Amino acid sequence: MHNGKAIKKPVEINWFQWEGDVGELEDWHTEVAGVAIEDNFIINEGGLKVKTLEGHSYEIPNNYIIIQGTAKEFYPHEPKLFFENYNVVDKSEIF
């Protein structure tokens, strides 16, 4: 067995801060994923769910960050932890 310490490789990800606007989410999703929004999200009267690699997530609260990972998967992230763990390199307005 091998063990030791490791440093995670830096990777660039796409992110979006959910504020309840489905149109903004759809515009962002189309730009980064290039597939129908229904392929990765469930949108209904109750709110928004992300189809993660592990299955559907819980309802996404406003201001949560949605991340597109290195395998092109999507998952929600708590904003405070996101900004503690990621350096934002481009906060562009694409809308």
Side-chain angles (χ1 to χ4, degrees):
M1 175 194 255
H2 299 283
N3 61 45
K5 293 185 180 188
I7 296 174
K8 188 174 181 178
K9 295 177 183 177
V11 295
E12 185 175 298
I13 53 101
N14 292 307
W15 65 280
F16 176 86
Q17 189 156 20
W18 170 247
E19 295 177 339
D21 188 322
V22 174
E24 286 185 357
L25 173 64
E26 192 163 16
D27 289 345
W28 173 77
H29 179 267
T30 299
E31 182 172 309
V32 300
V35 297
I37 195 166
E38 294 81 11
D39 290 355
N40 294 302
F41 298 93
I42 298 172
I43 302 166
N44 57 37
E45 297 150 9
L48 173 73
K49 289 185 178 184
V50 178
K51 296 179 182 179
T52 65
L53 293 177
E54 295 80 26
H56 301 166
S57 74
Y58 52 89
E59 298 291 332
I60 306 299
N62 275 353
N63 296 319
Y64 254 54
I65 305 295
I66 299 169
I67 294 175
Q68 182 188 34
T70 58
K72 306 299 182 200
E73 81 284 12
F74 291 88
Y75 58 94
H77 207 294
E78 196 274 322
K80 182 176 184 258
L81 294 176
F82 174 80
F83 290 109
E84 285 176 3
N85 292 297
Y86 289 87
N87 292 319
V88 175
V89 295
D90 177 26
K91 189 175 180 181
S92 60
E93 294 292 331
I94 61 170
F95 311 106

